[in-house]
Amino acid sequence: MTSDQDRLTEYIETWRSAAADVLALLRSLDEEDWARPTDLPGWDVHAVAAHLAHLESELSGVAQREVEVPELAHVGAPTGTYTESGVIARKDLSGSEIADELERAVETRDRWLRANPPSDPGAVPELTPGGIGWSWETLLRNRPFDLWMHEQDIRRAVGRPGGMNTPGATHSLTVLAMSFGYAVGKRVAPPVGTTVVADVTGVHPVHLAVEVDAGGRAVPPTETPSEPDVHLRMDAETFVVLGGGRRPVDAVDVAITGDEQLGRAVLEALAVTP
């Protein structure tokens, strides 16, 4: 059985790998690539990279420059204002300068984590993004996920698919899969006994099957139903863009067998990132 310490260490190792992958991608971009729009409203590649530099810089202990965030259509909740502040603070930096900042921050934080390896997943770190009250478990699980998801945002924007066979990819698909039962049981809330199956193809195939129990929870059934109420089939990139809320259901290709209305409702409920 994996210990708490081992699990946290694995998160950190995956974060190192995901950071190296996104830095290699940023270093390979042409000047015009930095201005290409991404699936994230209001953000181009430059903004996505600036966001990553902001969070890793703050987590490495660097004081952040305060900026005024104007009213923007893509900024809603207070967390959005915080996130946008890091992008605005770096709007005049070149792409290479942003990559340099991200690399320095990762190196600084990596040294700290090696010298002070966290062991209690429930403890609250001294530094979290925007001072949010995350535990070590949540923070360390989130960082490789955030890095990899944004690597994919950049890859789609610049037309360079890849990065699907990495530790960051495996970790992120696992994180997205963890929310499947919640999406079905709580967000869609179909009748008791409803069965939903989803198969995600790719380098790391994902098979998900849930049945709604008497308490309204979507839990793994004793056996995968041969004829579920709905069966969804999609590739990994589709699962990622839906789970990340990057594109609407009508913009992706998913095979729905069975109750199509239920299937669409489940697909629309998959988005777990703000």
Side-chain angles (χ1 to χ4, degrees):
M1 181 178 295
T2 302
S3 70
D4 289 342
Q5 176 82 63
D6 290 340
R7 187 174 66 258
L8 296 182
T9 297
E10 184 176 350
Y11 290 156
I12 294 170
E13 291 173 351
T14 304
W15 163 76
R16 291 187 187 112
S17 174
D21 290 341
V22 77
L23 276 166
L25 176 61
L26 293 178
R27 298 292 192 195
S28 73
L29 297 180
D30 298 328
E31 185 174 350
E32 57 268 26
D33 286 336
W34 289 87
R36 298 190 192 280
T38 71
D39 287 322
L40 298 167
W43 278 15
D44 56 13
V45 170
H46 186 281
V48 172
H51 163 67
L52 294 178
H54 169 210
L55 293 194
E56 293 297 342
S57 174
E58 183 169 21
L59 289 171
S60 73
V62 176
Q64 301 299 298
R65 181 165 68 90
E66 292 188 10
V67 298
E68 182 176 345
V69 179
E71 290 189 10
L72 298 167
H74 62 277
V75 176
T79 54
T81 300
Y82 159 76
T83 301
E84 198 69 26
S85 69
V87 174
I88 292 173
R90 291 160 177 80
K91 64 183 179 63
D92 294 327
L93 297 182
S94 68
S96 62
E97 288 173 326
I98 289 176
D100 288 345
E101 180 186 13
L102 176 59
E103 186 169 30
R104 287 194 304 271
V106 168
E107 289 175 349
T108 298
R109 186 161 172 252
D110 184 35
R111 286 194 298 271
W112 190 93
L113 287 168
R114 289 181 187 277
N116 306 274
S119 59
D120 181 358
V124 177
E126 187 174 328
L127 292 173
T128 58
I132 192 169
W134 280 353
S135 65
W136 272 115
E137 174 84 25
T138 301
L139 175 64
L140 294 179
R141 185 178 60 210
N142 174 272
R143 291 314 307 139
F145 176 74
D146 189 51
L147 286 163
W148 186 83
M149 289 291 287
H150 286 311
E151 177 197 337
Q152 292 302 306
D153 290 328
I154 295 169
R155 286 187 176 280
R156 290 193 302 274
V158 302
R160 299 190 197 178
M164 300 298 290
N165 188 21
T166 64
T170 302
H171 173 81
S172 298
L173 288 170
T174 299
V175 170
L176 291 173
M178 288 168 57
S179 298
F180 187 70
Y182 175 81
V184 174
K186 297 303 180 183
R187 289 185 169 177
V188 179
V192 173
T194 297
T195 53
V196 180
V197 173
D199 280 301
V200 180
T201 61
V203 178
H204 304 287
V206 178
H207 175 74
L208 301 166
V210 294
E211 179 176 359
V212 179
D213 67 11
R217 298 174 302 167
V219 298
T222 304
E223 295 182 2
T224 298
S226 58
E227 295 185 9
D229 290 291
V230 65
H231 192 161
L232 307 170
R233 297 177 178 86
M234 70 195 88
D235 61 24
E237 183 173 11
T238 298
F239 186 56
V240 168
V241 297
L242 289 174
R246 267 47 174 185
R247 295 180 183 176
V249 174
D250 289 336
V252 298
D253 185 17
V254 179
I256 302 176
T257 303
D259 188 333
E260 185 167 349
Q261 183 176 0
L262 172 62
R264 286 185 61 88
V266 171
L267 293 174
E268 289 169 355
L270 288 182
V272 294
T273 63

